[in-house]
Amino acid sequence: MAKRIEVEDLDIYYGSFRAVRNVSMTIHPRAITALIGPSGCGKSTYLRALNRMHELIPAARVEGRVVMDEQDLYAPGVDPVDVRKHVGMVFQRPNPFPTMSVYENVAAGLRLNHKRIRKSELDGIVEESLRGANLWEEVKDRLGKPGSGLSGGQQQRLCIARAIAVKPDVLLMDEPCSALDPISTHAIEDLMAELKENYTIVIVTHNMQQAARVSNYTGFFNIGGTGEPGELVEIDETPTIFSTPTHTDTEEYISGRFG
Amino acid sequence: MAKRIEVEDLDIYYGSFRAVRNVSMTIHPRAITALIGPSGCGKSTYLRALNRMHELIPAARVEGRVVMDEQDLYAPGVDPVDVRKHVGMVFQRPNPFPTMSVYENVAAGLRLNHKRIRKSELDGIVEESLRGANLWEEVKDRLGKPGSGLSGGQQQRLCIARAIAVKPDVLLMDEPCSALDPISTHAIEDLMAELKENYTIVIVTHNMQQAARVSNYTGFFNIGGTGEPGELVEIDETPTIFSTPTHTDTEEYISGRFG
Amino acid sequence: MSTPTKSRPAPPETDPPGDSTRLVRGSLPRRASWGALGAATLVAAVVAALTGFSVTLFVLLVVVLYTAGMYVWSRSAEGRRKAADRAFTSVVTSAFLIALTPLISVVITVISRGAERFDGKFFSYSMRGVVGDGGGAYHAITGTLITSGLATLMSVPIGLATAVYLVEYGRGRLAKSITFFVDVMTGIPSIVAGLFAYALFTLVFGAGTINGFAGAVALSVLMIPIVVRSSEEMIKLVPDDLREAAFALGTPKWKVILRVVLPTAVAGISTGVTLAIARVVGETAPLLIATGTTASTNFNPFSGQMATLSVFSYYEYASPGVPPEPYLARAWTAALTLMLIVMVLNLVARSISLFFAPKTRS
Amino acid sequence: MSSIGQDAVQGRRARKRPADQAFRGITTGAGVLILVVLAGVAAFLLIEAWPAFVAPAEEIPGEGGLVLYIWPLVFGTLLAAALALVLAAPLAVLIALFITHYAPRRLAQLLGYVIDLLAAVPSIIYGLWGFTVLAPATLTPTGWLAENLGFIPLFAGPASTTGRTMFTTALVLAVMILPIITAVIREAFLQTPKLYEEAALALGATRLEMIRTAVLPFGGSSILSGSMLGLGRALGETMAVAIVLSASGGITFNLISSGNPATIAANIALEFPESSGVAIDALIASGLVLFAITLVVNMIARAVINRRTDFSGAS
Amino acid sequence: ANEESGSGDGSGLSGTIDGAGASSQEAAQQAWRAAFSEKNPDLTINYSPIGSGGGRERFVSGASDFGGTDAALEGDELSKAKERCGDLVELPVYVSPVAVSFNLEGVEKLNLRPATIAKIFNQQITEWNAPEIAEANPGVDLPDTPITPVNRSDESGTTENFTDYLSTAAPNAWPHEVSGDWPVPGGEAAKGTSGVKSAIDAGQGTIGYLDASQAGDLGQVAVGVGDEFVSYSPEAAAKVLEVSERKKDQGEHVFAYDLARDTTESGTYPIVLVSYGMACGNYEDAETGELVRSYFEYILSEEGQRKAADSAGSAPISQALREELRPAVEAIGANG
Ligand SMILES: Nc1ncnc2c1ncn2[C@@H]1O[C@H](COP(=O)(O)OP(=O)(O)OP(=O)(O)O)[C@@H](O)[C@H]1O
Ligand SMILES: Nc1ncnc2c1ncn2[C@@H]1O[C@H](COP(=O)(O)OP(=O)(O)OP(=O)(O)O)[C@@H](O)[C@H]1O
Ligand SMILES: [Mg+2]
Ligand SMILES: [Mg+2]
Ligand SMILES: O=P([O-])([O-])[O-]
């Protein structure tokens, strides 16, 4: 668990439109890396390139290397389905499967991947994942109820439980709190702090305070203008970025002079 | 133009769910009032109550008074259609009518209101509104092209031009920059600064820096928890709110300790 | 609550007085529309009575008078735009009511004429050995269930798979041409489908192969495009969110489709499928040719002719014996039965979709 | 937990998931099967119709040759279907508006269901109903039309005494296709982005004006495709027309008399049982023509929809 | 429920035979089938009233075991049928008067000469009070209502027999060819016998032709034969067959008739529809031949003809003619 990722000269395209240019960075294991930047600068695009979700969009493609465990995720012969088993993802809007119960939602990743798994074993994994997502106490009495009946914050934690149930090495989160109220946001932030003991976590956030609060490393993306590709301006340890950034753009963005 | 609005004890409901509780505030003319607060605290709901867009949602209703020009907008006999002519609105996602050209988009509101309007007069108003929205120079050569062909920032300014073409007294904006890149955001902020010479402007924003940069007054909304109604914690002149807020919640939110 | 209004420096200058906003215009009293409707009805009744009463004329008059009346009244009191809005509301509402009349009329006609033979015997007897009075449609009911059931068994997998292909895989020429030709297929006249099935079976199984299965093939030709269309729409409605969530768990595409996409869309799909069944269950022309008819009950769709409700109804109506009354009564009751089957199918579809519908609140 | 590296080593060879390939193959196969069936129908029509194309004119029923035989049928088919469409399409737009924007939501769902039911009523029932209920009900209006508006060729009369006219047929067809068109348009109207509706309302539009600026332009292509679907159904309707229409004449625009051209589908149903030899081939040839008409109608619809997309695009 | 009780005592014939053809025979076939399978509970007989053309086609191609047709086999079809059957058997099984019926207020019965009927249906006489009609109906108060002739919209044996009658009995007034398709455009057209009946019922001043059994209480035309006017009746209709001549050289067991529509024989009703049954001397399967033969034996038995008369209103075929047909019936299935 908890792998390091080396990204080398990554260019990301939507058809002929280059959305992100030339990103290189190291993502450290057992740490939270936050990506910030103005809207449209390609944070989500970049994040989705890390587990090959990007290529689900027709005509989308990448150039460059994403190396995990000395293996380039984009090397020919690598099955994206396997990549995604190792690199999990949580989305901006909580999206539990509406036809499944809380239990089934958590078990979904396993059920969909493994032919046969014993009920008792599955029970164990579901409980463990829900505990890991700080949700067990709240839902243990209604595991059979539809997952979409939970509150927004609970749904988001359910999605996190679902993601960690398949035991990935890396967890990507795209603005996981932006649809939540402050109390739920707190709960998720606490959870992230716990999860980083075991996972490599990359999180995209619009909220600089959140980045400052939870992350160990912060990367700042920016964009020249509409139609220009986004690029990584700088990445460093979070305290450094927020106190003494190298680039004036970073400083301006962080101090709220734009964005 | 530019009217004062007095809101008195406003409660806003979705069916039996009270989303916003007991708001009273004065909205000053020729000034920008910014509303900030965590997600789900009812900012959008409140804003939409100001021009009776709220009641378009089935079973939605309000209690309380919204007084403009000594006239309660919710008094019986008041036609919401007329209210909306006086209180215009700009939305989060730019929404020019996709089937209309740039010109027709701006003229859309006028075409509704006036039986016959001379072409030359209409031309004049369209140009004036586009100039007012700082867009004239960029689109004057392609007034006949579809409005949806513009960039995001241009589309948003087109929507502002469309809103001011009907010469409202008040302009409501719900996160008008949140879908835009930083350059477009700058353009819109500059525009707001100009528009406040003539209009009463209320803007909802997630971006505290933006509130600090552009507004004269700032109101902070908060929510107790999921399912609780949102409420106005305090409203004051922007410098005061950002330097010496009365409430600790406000201070915590502004200093980024939650949200 | 804090102090929303504490003392503050002089606010920016206020508006010049006198430029007051006019928000309250003249408006019609609240019961205006009922009053106008009453008046319109009255006038229409008088006119209709004078010119010789006709329901159609009366209804049309009410609609026209009410719409025009409201428009004129509202226009003088509330202005042109409000008046147009009111008039349009009345036009839209009457259009809807007008569209309902044929349905009601059809239902009343079929029920009143079909009631006579709507008895136990009708549902338990075939026409074997029956002349004139008596007999029933048991053989036709089972035949209809068998042929439509078989058609469903063939059409749903093919149609659903095609819809999946179009939404989840289809790009380029093949997908485009399938989309186009599915549209064309919806336009195949039902009788041509029957002729096609008849010719096909003659070709493959030899002359005179007329059986329930041939009818089911003909019905499938009519049913498949409907299934494709409706399933396609429903699968498209499944949010990409869910697909992505499943992909992000490391799920291969076929499982994403089978385990997440289709279950989420199943409510809509089942509604579409039932509507498609309802659409073909009453087909006459193709069954006339491909399935034939018999007076006896035949449960074997692969051998021998088979009676179906629509064909039964048609023949009872088209070539009655002497006296014709019992034949015609059976024809109408068969039609009524068909309609009931369709209605039950619709109810089933609704229950299925309620049952399977993604649960949003517990 | 295996590492991706190992997976990849296995993958060096055929790491194409067989299940994925199979599933894709099956769905593609289903699509292709549909094309094959359609090709089969077309081939069947062509082969069976061929003798009629080469047969001498006097062997074709009517003894005037194939073109003279089919042309009035084409005319009747187009006339009936077009009339039905003209009656049904505007009504469908209004009904869809009523359901989506006027009726209270609960009621709207119920009403949508009721309208859907109309679509499923078997055509033979419509035929019987049209014959026994609707036709007699049209006698007074058609009589009036013939008397007062007889100078218009459509109402030249003499009015039929049974009411089984082109006018009645078009009404029956209109009722039959109304639900299909309504269903398509209703879906489109429901999916009009709230964004645009609210934009219009925020400008101070009344409900009617909002519909005009935001709903109708959006539904444009759906109104068209719904209408085409309805048209296809009307063109191919067999039993209802066969039972209702008094098909005894040649080409005429007179909608209210006894002498009407038959439609292709109805004519097949009427003639097929007693026909043999070249007469059957001629009937199938007319079926082929109907097929071609449907194809062309769909092509036109596609072309029109595609041409409109650049101005209704990005949303 | 009716199917459970009867079957299974092992007596009588068993199996299934399929027939298809003229819709005119449907009601009679129903009666025969019902009665015959009552005697033979394990026997299933199907008859699809798909029309004469379809019936001939299916019979010729071997798709059905027996057939029904309103027009006797001819030309190509005849030779092909012989090819299929070896020994073709074609017999009149169903004779029914075609009524000329009308709906005219206050008038229940009218006398019309063949030429008048022809002119009415040719749309040359367009008013009910035309002199030609009045002349044949002294004392009847004829209104000046316009005449709406009603014809079949589908191709039909009834039409073929009716036009055959018109062109034989009134060759000068009826210039059209004999055909199952109605040749005069512009009249009221309706599908099937029941369609014609309903159309006559629904309209005012309507007149049409239809199988007499379905005419019900419509106004009735007595047709001019020689100097008298004859109303339809089974006996009057059956007489036609007796005065008609069997077509020559069609085959040993083919009994097709040139009907004497222009007969002047007293008490004969000349507008009749004669519908034939078709069967084979050879069947691939001997059992089938056996079943078809016994069914045809029943049809042409006295009881069979009476049953048809009861429930289909047909004219029973006379004893004499039945005797004449007997060898042909016996030839069915005899060769294999
Ligand atoms: N499916 C797509 N097809 C084409 N272009 C896309 C697509 N999705 C995103 N883009 C473009 O790629 C660029 C980067 O978008 P992206 O969503 O990654 O930005 P982001 O930083 O996540 O913004 P936000 O903060 O608003 O989520 C934008 O210019 C966007 O318009
Ligand atoms: N159409 C609706 N029906 C029912 N409840 C609603 C509806 N829209 C919003 N709400 C609820 O009302 C509350 C306030 O929502 P609102 O959208 O006004 O918040 P907000 O402050 O604008 O949030 P955000 O910053 O995410 O836009 C929330 O609890 C929300 O769930
Ligand atoms: Mg993003
Ligand atoms: Mg909001
Ligand atoms: O028996 P018909 O051919 O006249 O229907």
Side-chain angles (χ1 to χ4, degrees):
Chain A
M1 296 202 147
K3 300 266 163 74
R4 171 190 310 273
I5 299 179
E6 301 282 347
V7 178
E8 294 160 24
D9 293 331
L10 202 64
D11 285 314
I12 315 178
Y13 295 83
Y14 289 104
S16 59
F17 170 56
R18 180 157 67 162
V20 175
R21 183 175 83 184
N22 202 25
V23 177
S24 300
M25 68 163 75
T26 302
I27 297 166
H28 298 275
R30 293 174 208 284
I32 298 180
T33 304
L35 306 177
I36 60 172
S39 187
C41 66
K43 305 181 296 294
S44 302
T45 304
Y46 174 69
L47 197 71
R48 292 163 56 90
L50 294 182
N51 71 341
R52 299 191 60 173
M53 292 289 285
H54 179 64
E55 65 203 55
L56 292 174
I57 293 158
R61 67 200 165 82
V62 311
E63 284 168 15
R65 290 161 53 83
V66 178
V67 180
M68 187 169 102
D69 253 358
E70 280 153 43
Q71 170 66 50
D72 179 5
L73 304 187
Y74 281 97
V78 171
D79 182 353
V81 172
D82 285 328
V83 171
R84 294 181 203 128
K85 263 185 255 178
H86 291 273
V87 186
M89 189 158 195
V90 175
F91 299 83
Q92 177 172 10
R93 278 186 49 209
N95 53 1
F97 298 125
T99 49
M100 300 184 189
S101 68
V102 170
Y103 182 98
E104 288 166 336
N105 259 289
V106 180
L110 293 164
R111 283 254 177 87
L112 293 174
N113 288 320
H114 297 275
K115 278 188 202 85
R116 292 237 141 262
I117 185 164
R118 249 179 302 120
K119 175 83 174 102
S120 60
E121 195 183 332
L122 195 59
D123 284 353
I125 297 178
V126 167
E127 177 171 344
E128 184 191 332
S129 309
L130 282 170
R131 279 192 198 281
N134 261 340
L135 192 61
W136 176 250
E137 293 302 324
E138 291 161 60
V139 299
K140 65 180 177 201
D141 300 326
R142 41 173 170 161
L143 291 175
K145 295 276 165 61
S148 41
L150 304 177
S151 82
Q154 289 172 327
Q155 287 190 16
Q156 193 61 297
R157 276 178 287 156
L158 179 59
C159 293
I160 294 175
R162 181 175 66 186
I164 62 181
V166 294
K167 302 209 166 48
D169 305 317
V170 180
L171 208 53
L172 311 176
M173 302 187 171
D174 192 355
E175 306 195 32
C177 303
S178 78
L180 305 181
D181 63 80
I183 294 160
S184 308
T185 303
H186 264 299
I188 304 275
E189 287 182 7
D190 289 349
L191 174 60
M192 284 193 275
E194 282 175 35
L195 289 174
K196 80 171 171 188
E197 301 300 318
N198 294 309
Y199 296 91
T200 305
I201 297 181
V202 186
I203 158 176
V204 167
T205 177
H206 253 113
N207 184 327
M208 268 164 286
Q209 281 75 25
Q210 188 172 62
R213 274 195 304 266
V214 303
S215 71
N216 306 89
Y217 300 87
T218 299
F220 172 60
F221 279 76
N222 203 0
I223 184 180
T226 313
E228 299 282 307
E231 53 190 353
L232 177 65
V233 177
E234 58 180 318
I235 180 164
D236 210 331
E237 292 187 19
T238 302
T240 316
I241 288 281
F242 278 87
S243 56
T244 53
T246 319
H247 281 256
T248 48
D249 283 356
T250 318
E251 198 188 332
E252 289 203 337
Y253 184 75
I254 287 167
S255 62
R257 248 165 285 153
F258 76 87
Chain B
M1 295 205 146
K3 297 272 162 70
R4 171 190 311 273
I5 298 179
E6 300 282 348
V7 178
E8 295 162 21
D9 293 330
L10 201 64
D11 285 314
I12 316 178
Y13 296 82
Y14 290 103
S16 59
F17 169 57
R18 180 158 65 162
V20 175
R21 181 176 84 184
N22 201 27
V23 176
S24 299
M25 70 162 73
T26 302
I27 296 166
H28 298 276
R30 293 174 208 285
I32 298 179
T33 303
L35 306 177
I36 60 173
S39 187
C41 66
K43 305 179 297 294
S44 301
T45 305
Y46 173 70
L47 197 73
R48 291 163 56 90
L50 294 182
N51 72 340
R52 299 190 64 170
M53 292 291 284
H54 179 63
E55 66 200 45
L56 294 173
I57 292 155
R61 67 200 165 82
V62 311
E63 283 168 16
R65 289 161 50 86
V66 177
V67 180
M68 187 169 100
D69 249 0
E70 280 150 45
Q71 168 67 56
D72 179 5
L73 302 187
Y74 282 95
V78 171
D79 183 352
V81 170
D82 286 326
V83 170
R84 295 182 203 127
K85 256 187 276 176
H86 290 278
V87 186
M89 190 156 195
V90 174
F91 298 81
Q92 179 171 6
R93 276 187 54 203
N95 55 358
F97 297 122
T99 49
M100 297 184 189
S101 68
V102 170
Y103 183 97
E104 287 167 336
N105 259 293
V106 180
L110 291 163
R111 287 255 168 83
L112 298 177
N113 286 310
H114 299 276
K115 251 187 289 239
R116 294 236 139 261
I117 186 163
R118 251 179 299 119
K119 176 81 175 102
S120 61
E121 196 183 333
L122 194 60
D123 285 352
I125 298 177
V126 168
E127 176 170 346
E128 184 191 333
S129 309
L130 283 170
R131 280 192 196 282
N134 263 341
L135 192 61
W136 176 250
E137 292 303 324
E138 290 161 59
V139 300
K140 67 181 176 201
D141 300 327
R142 40 173 172 163
L143 291 175
K145 293 275 164 62
S148 45
L150 303 178
S151 82
Q154 289 173 328
Q155 288 189 18
Q156 194 61 297
R157 277 178 285 156
L158 178 58
C159 293
I160 295 176
R162 181 175 66 185
I164 61 180
V166 294
K167 302 211 165 48
D169 304 319
V170 180
L171 208 53
L172 310 176
M173 301 186 172
D174 192 355
E175 306 194 32
C177 303
S178 79
L180 304 182
D181 62 81
I183 294 160
S184 308
T185 303
H186 264 297
I188 305 275
E189 286 182 8
D190 290 348
L191 174 58
M192 284 193 273
E194 281 175 35
L195 289 174
K196 80 170 172 190
E197 302 300 318
N198 294 310
Y199 296 90
T200 305
I201 297 182
V202 185
I203 156 176
V204 168
T205 175
H206 253 113
N207 184 326
M208 268 162 286
Q209 282 73 24
Q210 186 172 63
R213 277 196 301 266
V214 304
S215 72
N216 305 86
Y217 301 88
T218 299
F220 172 59
F221 279 75
N222 203 358
I223 182 179
T226 313
E228 301 281 306
E231 53 190 357
L232 177 65
V233 177
E234 60 179 316
I235 181 167
D236 209 330
E237 290 183 26
T238 301
T240 316
I241 289 279
F242 278 86
S243 58
T244 53
T246 318
H247 280 254
T248 49
D249 283 356
T250 317
E251 200 189 328
E252 290 202 336
Y253 184 76
I254 286 167
S255 62
R257 248 164 289 150
F258 76 86
Chain C
M1 278 304 286
S2 156
T3 48
T5 44
K6 58 181 177 182
S7 73
R8 63 187 73 232
E13 50 194 294
T14 34
D15 303 302
D19 169 30
S20 168
T21 317
R22 223 182 103 221
L23 293 176
V24 186
R25 300 165 180 270
S27 69
L28 299 187
R30 248 192 306 164
R31 303 206 179 272
S33 40
W34 291 111
L37 187 60
T41 314
L42 204 71
V43 176
V46 169
V47 174
L50 288 180
T51 57
F53 192 82
S54 138
V55 182
T56 330
L57 180 67
F58 171 71
V59 171
L60 279 180
L61 267 178
V62 172
V63 169
V64 171
L65 284 174
Y66 173 77
T67 307
M70 281 309 278
Y71 181 79
V72 173
W73 189 8
S74 165
R75 174 153 193 165
S76 62
E78 299 175 315
R80 179 185 58 90
R81 298 174 55 205
K82 207 60 197 284
D85 195 45
R86 277 186 191 274
F88 191 69
T89 304
S90 129
V91 167
V92 163
T93 314
S94 0
F96 181 77
L97 295 178
I98 287 172
L100 277 186
T101 31
L103 177 69
I104 295 170
S105 169
V106 166
V107 170
I108 291 178
T109 310
V110 175
I111 289 181
S112 63
R113 301 205 182 207
E116 186 188 333
R117 275 307 314 280
F118 199 76
D119 49 30
K121 204 171 181 189
F122 189 83
F123 294 96
S124 54
Y125 274 61
S126 70
M127 287 300 289
R128 191 182 170 91
V130 174
V131 197
D133 224 349
Y138 176 72
H139 61 313
I141 295 171
T142 55
T144 288
L145 295 181
I146 291 170
T147 46
S148 330
L150 272 178
T152 310
L153 280 183
M154 290 186 283
S155 312
V156 171
I158 296 176
L160 198 55
T162 305
V164 167
Y165 169 76
L166 289 177
V167 181
E168 306 285 344
Y169 295 103
R171 310 255 124 58
R173 286 267 279 286
L174 180 62
K176 268 202 182 138
S177 49
I178 291 177
T179 308
F180 176 74
F181 283 108
V182 163
D183 279 352
V184 173
M185 208 167 165
T186 55
I188 294 185
S190 53
I191 191 158
V192 169
L195 293 174
F196 168 70
Y198 178 72
L200 183 72
F201 273 68
T202 302
L203 197 72
V204 178
F205 300 107
T209 315
I210 303 163
N211 55 37
F213 188 56
V217 167
L219 293 185
S220 292
V221 172
L222 300 172
M223 200 172 160
I224 287 173
I226 312 178
V227 175
V228 176
R229 270 282 153 277
S230 58
S231 311
E232 192 187 348
E233 292 309 316
M234 291 305 147
I235 296 174
K236 269 190 200 153
L237 285 182
V238 174
D240 271 341
D241 270 16
L242 297 180
R243 289 189 183 85
E244 297 209 325
F247 279 125
L249 291 170
T251 314
K253 187 163 185 172
W254 69 280
K255 274 195 184 162
V256 174
I257 295 168
L258 279 184
R259 302 287 291 275
V260 175
V261 175
L262 291 183
T264 309
V266 74
I269 291 175
S270 65
T271 314
V273 166
T274 359
L275 279 179
I277 301 175
R279 172 75 184 73
V280 298
V281 90
E283 274 302 343
T284 316
L287 296 178
L288 223 54
I289 295 167
T291 309
T293 187
T294 166
S296 317
T297 314
N298 175 7
F299 288 112
N300 184 354
F302 301 104
S303 154
Q305 309 190 31
M306 196 179 257
T308 50
L309 271 174
S310 49
V311 172
F312 175 68
S313 172
Y314 172 71
Y315 279 143
E316 292 293 293
Y317 160 80
S319 24
V322 183
E325 285 73 23
Y327 295 80
L328 297 180
R330 280 195 294 264
W332 282 104
T333 309
L336 175 60
T337 311
L338 256 184
M339 231 165 74
L340 286 177
I341 290 179
V342 167
M343 253 179 223
V344 168
L345 274 176
N346 269 287
L347 287 178
V348 168
R350 289 184 80 71
S351 334
I352 291 179
S353 57
L354 278 185
F355 182 77
F356 282 117
K359 285 103 190 151
T360 40
R361 292 265 166 254
S362 50
Chain D
M1 176 123 300
S2 65
S3 87
I4 299 171
Q6 286 164 2
D7 292 343
V9 172
Q10 297 163 2
R12 200 90 346 135
R13 280 186 231 106
R15 180 84 210 166
K16 292 258 174 194
R17 298 176 166 269
D20 250 348
Q21 296 296 108
F23 190 74
R24 191 195 170 111
I26 290 172
T27 57
T28 315
V32 172
L33 180 66
I34 289 184
L35 293 185
V36 170
V37 169
L38 206 71
V41 172
F44 151 74
L45 287 173
L46 262 176
I47 293 169
E48 303 265 316
W50 186 247
F53 288 112
V54 294
E58 17 355 308
E59 280 183 27
I60 306 291
E63 298 179 7
L66 198 60
V67 174
L68 250 130
Y69 177 64
I70 293 181
W71 164 236
L73 298 173
V74 171
F75 176 82
T77 308
L78 292 178
L79 180 62
L83 266 178
L85 191 64
V86 166
L87 290 169
L91 205 56
V93 172
L94 294 177
I95 296 167
L97 278 178
F98 179 80
I99 293 177
T100 55
H101 287 84
Y102 283 83
R105 212 159 18 150
R106 273 288 177 79
L107 182 67
Q109 277 180 353
L110 184 78
L111 299 180
Y113 168 63
V114 168
I115 295 279
D116 283 348
L117 255 188
L118 264 173
V121 174
S123 52
I124 180 165
I125 294 183
Y126 278 117
L128 297 177
W129 170 77
F131 190 109
T132 51
V133 178
L134 186 62
T138 61
L139 289 181
T140 323
T142 49
W144 185 87
L145 284 173
E147 232 165 80
N148 298 289
L149 297 175
F151 56 89
I152 304 174
L154 294 179
F155 308 126
S160 155
T161 58
T162 60
R164 297 170 47 256
T165 57
M166 188 54 96
F167 177 66
T168 309
T169 308
L171 276 178
V172 171
L173 286 177
V175 174
M176 295 180 74
I177 64 176
L178 190 62
I180 311 165
I181 308 180
T182 307
V184 175
I185 300 179
R186 187 181 62 199
E187 283 314 307
F189 284 176
L190 278 176
Q191 274 158 31
T192 312
K194 278 270 168 298
L195 223 59
Y196 301 114
E197 293 185 21
E198 294 198 333
L201 290 170
L203 288 173
T206 61
R207 186 156 48 177
L208 166 61
E209 291 157 353
M210 180 272 282
I211 286 169
R212 253 184 10 216
T213 33
V215 179
L216 290 184
F218 243 92
S221 64
S222 305
I223 294 176
L224 197 69
S225 59
S227 302
M228 287 309 131
L229 223 61
L231 187 62
R233 175 96 192 265
L235 287 171
E237 179 49 45
T238 310
M239 272 313 185
V241 177
I243 294 176
V244 171
L245 184 64
S246 161
S248 68
I251 297 172
T252 168
F253 277 105
N254 190 345
L255 302 181
I256 58 170
S257 77
S258 296
N260 306 286
T263 70
I264 292 178
N267 184 63
I268 296 178
L270 292 172
E271 302 293 312
F272 187 79
E274 296 288 338
S275 298
S276 52
V278 180
I280 288 191
D281 304 332
L283 286 177
I284 293 189
S286 74
L288 186 65
V289 172
L290 179 53
F291 192 77
I293 293 176
T294 317
L295 199 86
V296 169
V297 163
N298 272 293
M299 264 156 60
I300 293 174
R302 288 259 145 202
V304 175
I305 290 170
N306 287 343
R307 229 187 27 188
R308 289 177 49 107
T309 40
D310 39 308
F311 228 84
S312 67
S315 58
Chain E
N2 49 337
E3 291 187 43
E4 292 149 22
S5 54
S7 64
D9 63 352
S11 73
L13 304 162
S14 68
T16 302
I17 49 173
D18 282 325
S23 56
S24 52
Q25 291 183 27
E26 162 66 1
Q29 287 278 357
Q30 216 171 342
W32 293 326
R33 178 164 80 209
F36 194 59
S37 55
E38 200 172 307
K39 293 191 203 321
N40 305 284
D42 292 330
L43 178 65
T44 299
I45 296 160
N46 294 320
Y47 182 81
S48 292
I50 56 169
S52 304
R56 288 194 301 269
E57 162 128 349
R58 281 196 192 171
F59 180 74
V60 166
S61 70
S64 61
D65 300 320
F66 67 95
T69 175
D70 292 341
L73 288 162
E74 275 176 357
D76 210 21
E77 276 183 337
L78 182 64
S79 45
K80 276 196 194 145
K82 283 180 172 159
E83 210 169 289
R84 177 205 165 180
C85 288
D87 181 14
L88 174 68
V89 179
E90 187 176 33
L91 319 159
V93 291
Y94 174 86
V95 178
S96 174
V98 174
V100 178
S101 303
F102 58 88
N103 182 6
L104 188 62
E105 216 169 295
V107 186
E108 274 172 14
K109 202 158 181 284
L110 278 179
N111 295 332
L112 295 178
R113 284 183 218 292
T116 315
I117 298 177
K119 283 182 195 157
I120 287 175
F121 279 96
N122 205 21
Q123 294 168 22
Q124 281 160 336
I125 299 179
T126 58
E127 303 256 311
W128 280 106
N129 59 357
E132 229 174 301
I133 301 176
E135 173 260 320
N137 294 282
V140 178
D141 183 20
L142 291 165
D144 62 352
T145 317
I147 298 178
T148 307
V150 180
N151 57 266
R152 291 280 290 266
S153 62
D154 48 340
E155 187 166 347
S156 109
T158 311
T159 300
E160 182 156 7
N161 279 284
F162 185 60
T163 50
D164 184 34
Y165 161 75
L166 292 178
S167 68
T168 321
N172 298 326
W174 188 255
H176 307 285
E177 227 176 278
V178 177
S179 134
D181 256 331
W182 186 251
V184 190
E188 180 83 17
K191 177 165 168 51
T193 300
S194 41
V196 169
K197 161 90 157 81
S198 311
I200 300 174
D201 265 336
Q204 259 305 313
T206 42
I207 181 167
Y209 57 93
L210 72 171
D211 196 297
S213 62
Q214 299 297 326
D217 49 9
L218 289 172
Q220 232 190 74
V221 171
V223 178
V225 177
D227 293 331
E228 57 177 3
F229 290 95
V230 184
S231 293
Y232 70 77
S233 69
E235 299 73 42
K239 242 181 166 171
V240 181
L241 213 49
E242 282 159 34
V243 300
S244 301
E245 235 162 81
R246 180 179 168 193
K247 281 190 197 161
K248 295 200 175 64
D249 303 328
Q250 303 275 308
E252 187 188 350
H253 298 125
V254 175
F255 286 80
Y257 288 87
D258 277 321
L259 294 174
R261 313 277 195 194
D262 51 358
T263 180
T264 51
E265 182 111 356
S266 164
T268 312
Y269 184 79
I271 319 178
V272 296
L273 175 147
V274 173
S275 198
Y276 299 89
M278 299 174 286
C280 289
N282 298 338
Y283 283 97
E284 266 172 39
D285 172 17
E287 236 163 276
T288 307
E290 173 88 22
L291 295 179
V292 175
R293 189 186 67 237
S294 30
Y295 186 49
F296 269 66
E297 271 170 7
Y298 179 76
I299 290 174
L300 284 168
S301 70
E302 190 185 346
E303 182 192 335
Q305 287 297 308
R306 203 187 57 241
K307 286 252 154 119
D310 288 347
S311 53
S314 64
I317 292 172
S318 67
Q319 168 86 30
L321 185 54
R322 283 194 282 112
E323 286 304 325
E324 201 184 326
L325 299 177
R326 183 176 306 261
V329 174
E330 272 161 13
I332 297 175
N335 313 352

